[in-house]
Amino acid sequence: MNTHWTSGRTSLRIGWAELIYGAWLILSPFVLGFAHYPAGMVNNIVVGLALILLTIGSARNGLLRALLVLLGGWVYASGFLLNVPKSIFLWNNLILALFIIVSAVASETPVPENPPRD
């Protein structure tokens, strides 16, 4: 039984999800109708761009994955802290934060190099 696990540099194989989440963060103020609330709009655009850049950067340096988790934590907190009166902003950011954190953690979880076959 081979129990060798690998973790090193990540590729964009799993990072595609974060790229989609970043694009959605950029588009969400306009699609969901909170673009006229500057705090929510600017937050989501800046965080979306940061998410995309960190995801691309994490393909070369896996330690940037930790920043993705922190960014997901900010997306969660921003739903409460920015006082955007639209509840869709809150729900969008809460759900997206969960997706960002789970996918960032899952992409760094070690997997067997040669998984056993049944």
Side-chain angles (χ1 to χ4, degrees):
M1 181 171 168
N2 186 358
T3 59
H4 181 71
W5 294 78
T6 61
S7 181
R9 291 193 308 185
T10 60
S11 69
L12 288 178
R13 285 179 285 163
I14 297 180
W16 63 268
E18 282 108 359
L19 293 175
I20 292 172
Y21 302 150
W24 173 251
L25 273 170
I26 293 169
L27 295 174
S28 65
F30 309 104
V31 174
L32 299 177
F34 57 89
H36 53 279
Y37 296 103
M41 181 183 71
V42 170
N43 175 70
N44 280 19
I45 291 173
V46 170
V47 171
L49 289 172
L51 186 61
I52 290 171
L53 293 174
L54 284 174
T55 299
I56 292 169
S58 70
R60 304 208 96 214
N61 183 353
L63 294 176
L64 291 176
R65 288 291 204 212
L67 294 177
L68 291 176
V69 173
L70 293 175
L71 205 56
W74 169 251
V75 172
Y76 181 85
S78 70
F80 297 104
L81 297 176
L82 294 182
N83 295 323
V84 175
K86 293 265 235 181
S87 64
I88 192 72
F89 173 78
L90 173 69
W91 285 108
N92 177 61
N93 284 17
L94 294 181
I95 293 169
L96 208 54
L98 175 69
F99 289 165
I100 292 168
I101 292 169
V102 167
S103 63
V105 170
S107 66
E108 271 302 302
T109 302
V111 295
E113 192 173 278
N114 296 317
R117 298 175 192 232
D118 293 332

